[in-house]
Amino acid sequence: MRRSPRPAGRSRLPRPCAARPIWGALRPDYLQYVRVARERGTILDGHCPNLSGEELSKYLATGIDSDHTKNTPEIAVEKARLGMTVMLKEKCLLPEVVSALTALPQLPPLCLVTDDLAADHIAAKGHLDHIGRTAVAAGLPPLDALRALTWNPAQRFRKYDRGVVAPSKRADLLLLDGELADFAVHTVIAGGAVVARGGEATYPAPDVADHPFADSVHIAEIAPDEFRWRLDLPDRKHTFRALRVNPVDTYTEAAEVQLEVVDGEVQWEGHVALLWVRNRHGRPNTACVPVIGMPLGDGALSTTYAHDSHNFVTLGTTRRAMRATAEAVLADDGGVAVAHAGGVAARLPLAVGGVMSAEPTANVMAGSRRVREALEAWGWRHANPFMSVSTLTLAVSPSVKITDLGLVDVLARDWTPQVLDCCHWPANSSERGAPWPTVPSTVPPTAPV
C-alpha cells in the first residue's frame, strides 16, 4: 500500500513531507519544523480540506503549497488560483469539481493521485490507470488527464528527467491499447527496460530474504491477560468515552457507553467492541477504547498497518478472538489478521516494517482480498475497509482518535478522558498531574482523509 504519484527512479532530493495540520501549521513550534524543511529544500505537501480565505493564505505563506484532500468546487478553484497544487484522488473526482476547474481560463497543473490502495483493489480496478479513467468519466479531457498523471507530478516532485517523451529524458514509458481515454496499459518500460507486458511482470523476482526492515514488531509475546481492561474504579456501572464509526468515511464521532466494573475490570465483552493499541516500537504504552457503529459478530482484527505510528492495534468483540489475531500478526512479524468465532479466517503478512510485503504480487493481492472478505463477513462493512481500520489511530482526523498514549480530541488538540462520570481524571493535564505527556502540537484539527 502506498501513495502515488511518485515517478519511478531514484533521486537525491529530499522526499516530500506531508503537512497535515491546518491552524496547527501556524503555531510557532510547528513553523520551526516547516522552516527547517524549507531550508533543506523539502517539498511540503499539504492536507487542508475546505480551508479557504485568510486561513488558506496563512497556510500557503508557510510554504506548504499542495493539497490532496476533498474540497468543494469553489474551494478547489480558490486553491488553484492561489497557486496551490491541487491533487485529486478518486473521491475528489466529482463532475462538479472537474467542471469548475476546467472552466478556468487555463487549466491549473492538477495531479491525479491515489491514497492507501489495497493490493486487491488495484487488482480489481487498477491504480493510476483507474484514476485516469475516473477523471475522464468526470469530465476531464483525456490529454489533460494524461498530463495530470505524468508531466505535472514529475514537475511537482522535481523529477525533471521524466514525465515526457523526449531526447535526454528518462525512458519511463507506457504503451497503451485502444483509445487514450481507456488508459489500458499493455507494456511498462522503466529506465529503458521492459518490466511488464500484458499484465505480467517480466523482471526477475528480487531476493528479499534479508531486507533491512524485518523484526520491526518489538513485542515479545501476547500475555494471557492482554485484553483485560483494568481500571482503578469502584464496582458499579460507569460511563466511558467510545468511538462511533460509520460505513462511509474515516470520521469517528465521540460517543458514550455504560459498562459495569467488577473487581477493577471493565466488563466490555458482549456489549461493545474494544480497540486496543499497544506500542510496538520499544515503549511500554498501551491504551484502549470501546468502538460502536458496526454490527460485529464474534471476532477480531489485529494489524500493524495503522496510521501514522503503525503500532500494534487489535479490535475485537471477544478476548479469545483478539488473542488469536494478535498471535497471528506477531508470528508474521507484522501484518493483518482477522478472526471469526472459529479462529483466524484471514491473514496478510507485512514483514517489511510491518506495513509492506516482499511477497509476490499475486500473493499480496490474494491476502488482501481474503482480509477484506473476512472483515465484511465479521460485520465491518465499509466503503473502504482497509482505510477505515487503519485510520482509527490517525490522530489528525476528527473527531476523536486513539494512540498508544490515550484518546485524542482532534478538534481541541488535547487529550480526552477515558471515563466520563465522577471518577474520571480531569481533562486538564495540569489538574491530573500530567499522567500523559502534553498533546503534541502536530495533532491538529483536520478532516476525514
Coordinates of all heavy atoms in Angstrom, one line a residue, residues 301-332:
L301 N -9.8 -8.2 14.8 CA -8.8 -7.8 13.8 C -7.6 -7.4 14.5 O -7.6 -6.7 15.5 CB -9.3 -6.6 12.9 CG -8.2 -5.8 12.3 CD1 -8.0 -6.3 10.9 CD2 -8.6 -4.3 12.2
S302 N -6.4 -7.8 14.1 CA -5.1 -7.2 14.5 C -4.3 -6.7 13.3 O -4.4 -7.3 12.3 CB -4.3 -8.2 15.3 OG -4.8 -8.5 16.6
T303 N -3.6 -5.6 13.5 CA -2.9 -5.0 12.4 C -1.7 -4.2 12.9 O -1.8 -3.5 14.0 CB -3.8 -4.2 11.5 OG1 -3.0 -3.7 10.4 CG2 -4.4 -3.0 12.2
T304 N -0.6 -4.2 12.2 CA 0.5 -3.2 12.4 C 0.4 -2.1 11.4 O 1.3 -1.2 11.4 CB 1.8 -3.9 12.4 OG1 1.9 -4.7 11.1 CG2 2.0 -4.9 13.6
Y305 N -0.5 -2.2 10.5 CA -0.7 -1.1 9.5 C -1.8 -0.2 10.0 O -3.0 -0.4 9.8 CB -1.2 -1.7 8.1 CG -1.3 -0.7 7.0 CD1 -0.1 -0.3 6.3 CD2 -2.5 -0.2 6.6 CE1 -0.2 0.6 5.3 CE2 -2.6 0.7 5.6 CZ -1.4 1.1 4.9 OH -1.5 2.0 3.9
A306 N -1.3 0.8 10.8 CA -2.3 1.7 11.5 C -1.7 3.1 11.6 O -0.8 3.3 12.4 CB -2.6 1.2 12.9
H307 N -2.1 4.0 10.7 CA -1.6 5.4 10.6 C -1.7 6.1 12.0 O -2.6 5.9 12.7 CB -2.3 6.2 9.6 CG -2.3 5.6 8.2 ND1 -1.1 5.4 7.5 CD2 -3.2 5.1 7.4 CE1 -1.3 4.9 6.3 NE2 -2.6 4.7 6.2
D308 N -0.7 7.0 12.3 CA 0.5 7.2 11.5 C 1.7 6.5 12.1 O 2.8 6.4 11.5 CB 0.8 8.7 11.4 CG 0.2 9.4 10.2 OD1 0.0 8.7 9.2 OD2 0.0 10.6 10.2
S309 N 1.5 6.1 13.4 CA 2.7 5.5 14.1 C 2.8 4.0 13.8 O 3.8 3.3 14.2 CB 2.5 5.7 15.6 OG 2.6 7.1 15.9
H310 N 1.7 3.4 13.2 CA 1.7 2.0 12.9 C 2.1 1.1 14.1 O 3.0 0.2 14.0 CB 2.7 1.7 11.7 CG 2.2 2.4 10.5 ND1 1.1 2.1 9.7 CD2 2.7 3.6 9.9 CE1 1.0 2.9 8.7 NE2 1.9 3.8 8.8
N311 N 1.4 1.3 15.1 CA 1.5 0.5 16.3 C 0.8 -0.8 16.2 O 0.2 -1.1 15.1 CB 1.0 1.2 17.6 CG 2.1 2.2 18.1 OD1 3.2 1.9 18.3 ND2 1.7 3.5 18.3
F312 N 0.8 -1.6 17.2 CA 0.1 -2.9 17.2 C -1.3 -2.7 17.7 O -1.6 -2.5 18.8 CB 0.9 -3.9 18.1 CG 0.6 -5.3 17.9 CD1 1.5 -6.1 17.2 CD2 -0.6 -5.9 18.3 CE1 1.3 -7.5 17.0 CE2 -0.9 -7.3 18.0 CZ 0.1 -8.1 17.4
V313 N -2.2 -2.8 16.7 CA -3.6 -2.5 17.0 C -4.5 -3.7 16.9 O -4.4 -4.5 15.9 CB -4.1 -1.4 16.0 CG1 -5.6 -1.1 16.2 CG2 -3.3 -0.1 16.2
T314 N -5.4 -3.9 17.9 CA -6.3 -5.0 17.9 C -7.7 -4.5 18.2 O -7.9 -3.7 19.2 CB -5.9 -6.1 18.9 OG1 -4.6 -6.6 18.6 CG2 -6.9 -7.3 18.9
L315 N -8.7 -4.9 17.4 CA -10.1 -4.5 17.6 C -10.9 -5.8 17.6 O -10.7 -6.7 16.7 CB -10.5 -3.7 16.4 CG -12.0 -3.4 16.4 CD1 -12.5 -2.4 17.5 CD2 -12.4 -2.8 15.0
G316 N -11.7 -6.0 18.7 CA -12.4 -7.3 18.8 C -13.6 -7.2 19.7 O -13.8 -6.3 20.5
T317 N -14.4 -8.2 19.6 CA -15.6 -8.4 20.4 C -15.4 -9.4 21.5 O -16.2 -9.5 22.4 CB -16.8 -8.7 19.6 OG1 -16.6 -9.8 18.8 CG2 -17.2 -7.5 18.7
T318 N -14.4 -10.2 21.4 CA -14.0 -11.2 22.4 C -12.5 -11.3 22.6 O -11.8 -11.1 21.7 CB -14.5 -12.6 22.1 OG1 -13.8 -13.1 21.0 CG2 -16.0 -12.6 21.8
R319 N -12.1 -11.5 23.9 CA -10.7 -11.6 24.2 C -10.1 -12.8 23.5 O -8.9 -12.7 23.0 CB -10.4 -11.6 25.7 CG -10.8 -10.3 26.4 CD -10.3 -10.3 27.8 NE -11.0 -11.3 28.6 CZ -10.4 -12.4 29.1 NH1 -9.2 -12.7 28.9 NH2 -11.1 -13.2 29.9
R320 N -10.8 -13.8 23.3 CA -10.3 -15.0 22.7 C -9.9 -14.8 21.2 O -8.8 -15.1 20.7 CB -11.3 -16.2 22.8 CG -11.0 -17.4 22.0 CD -12.1 -18.4 21.9 NE -13.4 -17.7 21.5 CZ -13.7 -17.3 20.3 NH1 -12.8 -17.5 19.3 NH2 -14.8 -16.7 20.0
A321 N -10.8 -14.1 20.5 CA -10.6 -13.8 19.1 C -9.4 -12.8 19.0 O -8.6 -12.8 18.1 CB -11.8 -13.3 18.4
M322 N -9.4 -11.8 19.9 CA -8.3 -10.8 19.9 C -7.0 -11.4 20.1 O -6.0 -11.1 19.4 CB -8.6 -9.7 20.9 CG -9.8 -8.9 20.6 SD -10.3 -7.8 22.0 CE -9.1 -6.5 21.9
R323 N -6.9 -12.4 21.0 CA -5.6 -13.0 21.2 C -5.2 -13.8 20.0 O -4.0 -13.9 19.6 CB -5.8 -14.0 22.4 CG -4.5 -14.7 22.8 CD -4.6 -15.5 24.1 NE -3.4 -16.2 24.3 CZ -2.3 -15.7 24.9 NH1 -2.3 -14.4 25.3 NH2 -1.2 -16.4 25.1
A324 N -6.2 -14.5 19.3 CA -5.9 -15.3 18.1 C -5.3 -14.4 17.0 O -4.3 -14.8 16.4 CB -7.1 -16.0 17.6
T325 N -5.9 -13.3 16.8 CA -5.4 -12.4 15.7 C -4.0 -11.8 16.1 O -3.1 -11.7 15.2 CB -6.4 -11.3 15.3 OG1 -6.7 -10.5 16.5 CG2 -7.6 -11.9 14.7
A326 N -3.9 -11.4 17.3 CA -2.7 -10.8 17.8 C -1.5 -11.8 17.7 O -0.4 -11.4 17.2 CB -2.8 -10.3 19.2
E327 N -1.7 -13.0 18.1 CA -0.6 -14.0 17.9 C -0.3 -14.3 16.5 O 0.9 -14.5 16.2 CB -1.1 -15.3 18.7 CG -1.1 -15.1 20.2 CD -1.5 -16.4 20.9 OE1 -2.2 -17.3 20.2 OE2 -1.2 -16.6 22.1
A328 N -1.3 -14.2 15.6 CA -1.0 -14.5 14.2 C -0.2 -13.3 13.6 O 0.8 -13.6 12.9 CB -2.3 -14.6 13.4
V329 N -0.5 -12.1 13.9 CA 0.3 -11.0 13.4 C 1.7 -11.0 14.0 O 2.7 -10.7 13.3 CB -0.5 -9.6 13.7 CG1 0.5 -8.4 13.4 CG2 -1.7 -9.6 12.9
L330 N 1.8 -11.3 15.3 CA 3.1 -11.4 15.9 C 4.0 -12.4 15.2 O 5.2 -12.2 15.0 CB 3.0 -11.7 17.4 CG 4.2 -11.5 18.3 CD1 4.8 -10.1 18.2 CD2 3.9 -11.9 19.7
A331 N 3.4 -13.6 14.9 CA 4.1 -14.7 14.3 C 4.5 -14.3 12.9 O 5.6 -14.8 12.4 CB 3.2 -15.9 14.2
D332 N 3.8 -13.4 12.2 CA 4.1 -13.0 10.8 C 5.0 -11.8 10.8 O 5.4 -11.3 9.7 CB 2.8 -12.6 10.1 CG 1.9 -13.8 9.8 OD1 2.5 -14.9 9.7 OD2 0.7 -13.6 9.5

